Amino acid sequence: MTIEFQKLHPLFAAEASAVDLRAVHDEDTLERIRAGMDEHAVLVFRDQAFSSEEQRDFAIRLDGELHRKTGISVLQKSRFGDEAITDVSNVDTGGEVLESDSRKRLYGLANRLWHTDASFQDPRGRYSMLAAIALPPVASDTEFADMRAAYDALADETKARLAGLRVHHSIAYSRITLGFEFSEGESDQLKGAIQPMVLENPRTGRRSLYLASHASRILDRPVPDGRLLLRDLMEHATRPDFVYRHSWCSGDFVIWDNRATMHRARPFDDTQHRREMRRVTTLDTGDPARIAQAV
Ligand code: OGA
Ligand code: MN
């Protein structure tokens, strides 16, 4: 099966031609999608009709191992019965819109911070695949930032300074900056992971800045210098010309490379309108990103 990709932004993100991903099992087509991911970092597939199990099985076919140690699983079990299938919604188990003070809601609001999925785990996340199940009648967009373009735009001396730096990522950290409170037991399970500041895609050799609001400090720099550097880099990486904004249509299925992009949900009136999305994320195992050492 031939899939064509049409660019959605000058730098990255593309829309795939019509295909039912449930029926994609052949290695040639899966490899075409992987090559599309290497080139565009965000791929939009329209009109998909996955059940949660079909979505999970497609993720395994495309990219292997699944991320199951999600942050939310520490707070509550997935309503899909498998921690690999993440409920990205503002509804409770009965399908009702969450109360404004619900813990699940407050936790999920941190998706509005620029982040990458599963950078707080080792192995880190690779591809995330988000399916739009039920959309509100108002815009509830998701923005993506191209972290390869952000890396390329750095001055050579900055690139040299960043190569080899190690950054601590913690999902508890990004939530705490918003005032979310964890119990001691929860915090113990959310210690975070150490990640390189610069990653290199082993298939293309392209480098990217690996940042997120989960990035709490740079191990090789004292506080506050490291935190200030992280803030400057986040500002740089989310310049408007590096950002693609996705306006969701029902049936959209978006795959992004967490090593090459950041993303964030845009605000909408989430205490009024239901929004149900379902995500599966793979792990960066089997030909993982290389750690960039020198320019
Ligand atoms: C996610 C996420 C953003 C959104 O699913 O990982 O950050 O707009 N989603 O729902
Ligand atoms: Mn996310």
Side-chain angles (χ1 to χ4, degrees):
M1 188 184 304
T2 346
I3 302 182
E4 304 299 331
F5 299 110
Q6 201 153 27
K7 284 173 85 73
L8 292 166
H9 181 278
L11 294 170
F12 72 131
E15 179 171 333
S17 53
V19 57
D20 181 349
L21 293 174
R22 293 177 303 182
V24 171
H25 289 258
D26 64 294
E27 195 48 37
D28 283 355
T29 310
L30 291 166
E31 190 50 34
R32 171 103 184 106
I33 298 173
R34 293 179 199 120
M37 288 300 295
D38 283 337
E39 184 177 353
H40 304 290
V42 177
L43 293 179
V44 176
F45 295 85
R46 305 286 189 188
D47 301 315
Q48 300 301 309
F50 287 116
S51 67
S52 56
E53 292 80 13
E54 287 167 340
Q55 182 179 347
R56 177 192 58 199
D57 295 348
F58 171 75
I60 295 171
R61 289 201 295 283
L62 183 68
D63 202 39
E65 272 190 86
L66 303 184
H67 166 56
R68 284 195 165 82
K69 294 186 201 156
T70 62
I72 189 76
S73 68
V74 168
L75 267 62
Q76 59 182 73
K77 296 294 147 221
S78 168
R79 67 185 169 118
F80 302 114
D82 181 344
E83 297 308 328
I85 306 167
T86 301
D87 178 20
V88 183
S89 78
N90 61 342
V91 300
D92 61 22
T93 45
E96 294 301 315
V97 171
L98 296 168
E99 297 292 332
S100 61
D101 61 351
S102 138
R103 255 188 129 218
K104 179 184 170 192
R105 170 177 183 263
L106 298 174
Y107 185 89
L109 283 181
N111 275 349
R112 296 183 186 179
L113 301 174
W114 282 111
H115 68 283
T116 54
D117 295 334
S119 63
F120 52 89
Q121 284 293 350
D122 183 10
R124 69 182 79 87
R126 185 153 59 202
Y127 295 164
S128 280
M129 312 182 198
L130 187 60
I133 311 297
L135 292 169
V138 295
S140 63
D141 301 349
T142 307
E143 286 183 327
F144 297 89
D146 184 349
M147 304 301 281
R148 305 166 310 178
Y151 177 79
D152 291 345
L154 294 169
D156 282 347
E157 64 182 46
T158 311
K159 288 178 182 164
R161 263 202 308 145
L162 300 185
L165 290 187
R166 293 164 305 158
V167 183
H168 176 251
H169 287 240
S170 148
I171 195 156
Y173 176 78
S174 58
R175 267 88 189 137
I176 287 166
T177 61
L178 293 181
F180 191 87
E181 290 174 12
F182 292 94
S183 70
E184 223 173 278
E186 289 165 350
S187 303
D188 285 348
Q189 295 175 68
L190 297 170
K191 290 267 180 260
I194 311 291
Q195 301 289 358
M197 173 76 90
V198 182
L199 290 177
E200 188 176 288
N201 180 325
R203 288 158 53 97
T204 62
R206 277 200 84 176
R207 291 185 172 189
S208 51
L209 267 178
Y210 192 53
L211 292 173
S213 298
H214 311 317
S216 72
R217 62 183 193 281
I218 303 178
L219 269 66
D220 318 273
R221 290 278 185 284
V223 170
D225 306 48
R227 287 212 169 129
L228 287 167
L229 177 56
L230 285 170
R231 284 186 187 223
D232 279 349
L233 291 171
M234 287 290 276
E235 200 173 303
H236 163 77
T238 55
R239 259 170 37 184
D241 51 319
F242 297 152
V243 173
Y244 162 68
R245 184 175 181 125
H246 187 69
S247 299
W248 292 91
C249 297
S250 176
D252 280 2
F253 182 70
V254 178
I255 311 180
W256 63 86
D257 186 340
N258 286 293
R259 306 166 306 177
T261 57
M262 284 199 295
H263 60 280
R264 65 172 177 177
R266 302 308 292 147
F268 71 101
D269 193 349
D270 68 302
T271 59
Q272 291 304 312
H273 305 296
R274 166 194 319 271
R275 180 178 187 262
E276 291 190 60
M277 320 283 275
R278 198 171 54 208
R279 174 162 60 76
V280 177
T281 296
T282 61
L283 296 175
D284 192 24
T285 55
D287 207 11
R290 293 196 202 109
I291 301 171
Q293 292 295 350
V295 177

